[in-house]
Amino acid sequence: MFSSLKIRNYRLFFLGQVVSNTGTWMQRIAQDWLVLGLTGSSAAVGITTALQFLPMLLFGLYGGVLVDRLPKRPTLLGTQSAMAVTGLVLAALTLSGHVQVWHVYVAAFAVGLATVLDNPARQSFVSEMVGPDQLQNAVSLNSANFQSARLVGPAVAGLMITGVGTGWAFLANGLSFAAPLAGLLLMRARELHVVERAPRGKGQLREGLDYVAKRPELIWPIVLVGFIGTFGFNFPVWLSAYADDVFHAGAGAYSLFNTLMAVGSLVGALLAARRGTARLRVLIAAALAFGTLETVASVAPQYWLFALLMVPIGICGLTVNVTANTAVQMATDPAMRGRVMALFMMVFMGGTPLGAPVVGWITDTYGARIGFAAGGVVSAVAAGAVGLVLARVGGLRLSVGWHHGHPRVRFVPREPERLATAA
């Protein structure tokens, strides 16, 4: 389960990300709380989130082009330093009492700009640290790392905000980047897997899109992740509505739902790390299960049943993310990996802000249960459709039968058509 941690360079990277991811989650909570305190407006909090995602939507593909041209480790040193400075400046403004809401807006946009390069660089740098044999394990452990920080960071931020104020949470985030920067500086360059960088040239963005479009093993997982990211991952909208409007249980229930989903996501990441390969059939099965579980949870009559269903939903959602991520990386030429992963992350991360207003409107108009069910149905239908397309491309057919007294549904190779013979 932890085999890639035997590699020194990846171990340094992983430990740095443990600290940095915790600080990032602390800043997210403190940032939203500060904006709400300065303005009293939930819309202002939404604007802050949108500004952080906007650079990825606008410039994500160009970031991928640059990452393919640039050496990954120096690029990450630059992006991580920029995000550290952003946190420290925001801390200084807040602790000195001079912070205004536009300062937070600028900081959120600056972090988003750094993410345009940082995200595809981090994704593609993993393969340079561990090589193809350990890629699935390393990507899975990265996700487990992120989900662990998602459990710890908000809790620490809550204690810090209550005890000493939001400015100290920003300061802690800024200082947390010392860990990944130290890890990057301590790496042994000779132990990295050499990857040929793309030369500077015109038309590289179009080249990357054409590369993906001509490969079913790339385009269809990205399409599936796009549908699920846009319509299936709008949990802030649904879980807050269930906590307040359906079960009338307040903020404590909302916190519990998110915690249980984070626990499920952590379990899903560790299970993915245990698997040695990333198979597309696992991706389709996990996506189908994810959509089906969301649909089932939407009609859960009891509070405790709905809460418990958050765990398997988290497991399946994380399995979709990790499996798609690894499968796409493994199927991509190293010289194209930055552009392909930039497209992957832009579709996955950028889809949620685009789908949230639609899902929010459905939830407000028809109720939380209909909104949650709609997201689940869209995710399941998308998984089924993409599964059938991939099966057709791969020369497979659906087989339904019995095995040891139990029904079994699977894809098997198509039999060659028998030619009719004359009597």
Side-chain angles (χ1 to χ4, degrees):
M1 187 178 291
F2 302 101
S3 57
S4 56
L5 289 176
K6 296 176 183 176
I7 300 169
R8 181 181 182 275
N9 283 344
Y10 179 72
R11 187 165 62 249
L12 289 169
F13 177 84
F14 182 88
L15 293 173
Q17 291 300 308
V18 168
V19 179
S20 177
N21 284 336
T22 302
T24 298
W25 275 105
M26 290 173 65
Q27 173 143 330
R28 285 188 184 184
I29 300 300
Q31 178 179 275
D32 291 348
W33 190 257
L34 176 61
V35 170
L36 194 61
L38 290 172
T39 65
S41 168
S42 295
V45 177
I47 290 171
T48 308
T49 302
L51 285 170
Q52 198 155 326
F53 279 104
L54 187 61
M56 181 62 74
L57 287 172
L58 295 177
F59 312 119
L61 292 176
Y62 294 99
V65 171
L66 289 174
V67 165
D68 279 336
R69 295 176 183 170
L70 299 171
K72 307 299 185 296
R73 189 161 64 133
T75 300
L76 287 171
L77 284 168
T79 57
Q80 298 278 296
S81 298
M83 288 190 278
V85 169
T86 302
L88 293 173
V89 169
L90 205 51
L93 289 168
T94 306
L95 291 172
S96 65
H98 293 98
V99 71
Q100 299 179 36
V101 69
W102 70 267
H103 293 146
V104 186
Y105 287 165
V106 171
F109 189 76
V111 170
L113 281 175
T115 303
V116 168
L117 288 178
D118 187 77
N119 232 316
R122 274 190 298 111
Q123 296 285 335
S124 52
F125 188 50
V126 172
S127 64
E128 294 188 24
M129 288 184 285
V130 303
D133 293 341
Q134 293 290 344
L135 184 59
Q136 159 88 5
N137 183 262
V139 170
S140 303
L141 289 181
N142 280 352
S143 297
N145 185 331
F146 184 79
Q147 296 303 327
S148 301
R150 182 182 170 189
L151 288 171
V152 176
V156 175
L159 292 173
M160 191 170 285
I161 291 168
T162 304
V164 293
T166 55
W168 294 99
F170 294 137
L171 180 61
N173 177 55
L175 295 176
S176 74
F177 284 97
L181 289 171
L184 288 166
L185 290 171
L186 290 170
M187 287 182 184
R188 295 170 181 161
R190 66 180 181 275
E191 294 179 7
L192 294 172
H193 294 254
V194 179
V195 173
E196 184 179 350
R197 298 200 300 272
R200 185 181 181 88
K202 294 182 179 180
Q204 289 180 320
L205 177 57
R206 190 186 316 117
E207 181 187 6
L209 294 175
D210 289 343
Y211 179 85
V212 173
K214 293 176 181 177
R215 288 164 173 77
E217 70 276 17
L218 296 180
I219 185 65
W220 290 111
I222 291 175
V223 167
L224 177 57
V225 163
F227 271 100
I228 290 180
T230 302
F231 298 104
F233 269 82
N234 292 285
F235 294 108
V237 175
W238 295 321
L239 299 186
S240 58
Y242 268 81
D244 285 341
D245 302 332
V246 178
F247 298 118
H248 308 289
Y254 179 61
S255 176
L256 176 63
F257 296 156
N258 279 285
T259 299
L260 289 173
M261 184 170 293
V263 169
S265 298
L266 178 58
V267 171
L270 294 175
L271 290 174
R274 192 175 180 84
R275 289 192 299 271
T277 57
R279 299 180 183 275
L280 291 179
R281 65 188 182 191
V282 174
L283 170 63
I284 300 302
L288 276 169
F290 176 78
T292 302
L293 284 167
E294 283 195 341
T295 307
V296 171
S298 71
V299 297
Q302 287 94 14
Y303 166 82
W304 63 267
L305 179 59
F306 181 84
L308 288 177
L309 283 169
M310 293 302 103
V311 176
I313 287 174
I315 292 173
C316 292
L318 203 284
T319 301
V320 170
N321 187 9
V322 169
T323 307
N325 186 314
T326 310
V328 168
Q329 287 206 52
M330 292 294 290
T332 302
D333 185 274
M336 302 292 294
R337 193 166 282 149
R339 278 164 281 184
V340 173
M341 293 314 298
L343 177 62
F344 179 92
M345 296 307 298
M346 187 183 76
V347 168
F348 183 66
M349 294 176 62
T352 300
L354 294 176
V358 176
V359 170
W361 176 81
I362 294 173
T363 302
D364 286 341
T365 305
Y366 300 103
R369 293 190 183 278
I370 297 297
F372 201 10
V377 169
V378 170
S379 298
V381 169
V386 170
L388 290 173
V389 170
L390 287 172
R392 186 176 183 83
V393 170
L396 303 175
R397 64 177 178 83
L398 187 66
S399 171
V400 181
W402 290 84
H403 183 69
H404 296 307
H406 299 286
R408 181 168 69 172
V409 180
R410 58 179 180 154
F411 286 103
V412 297
R414 293 177 183 272
E415 295 178 3
E417 296 183 4
R418 297 179 178 178
L419 298 175
T421 57

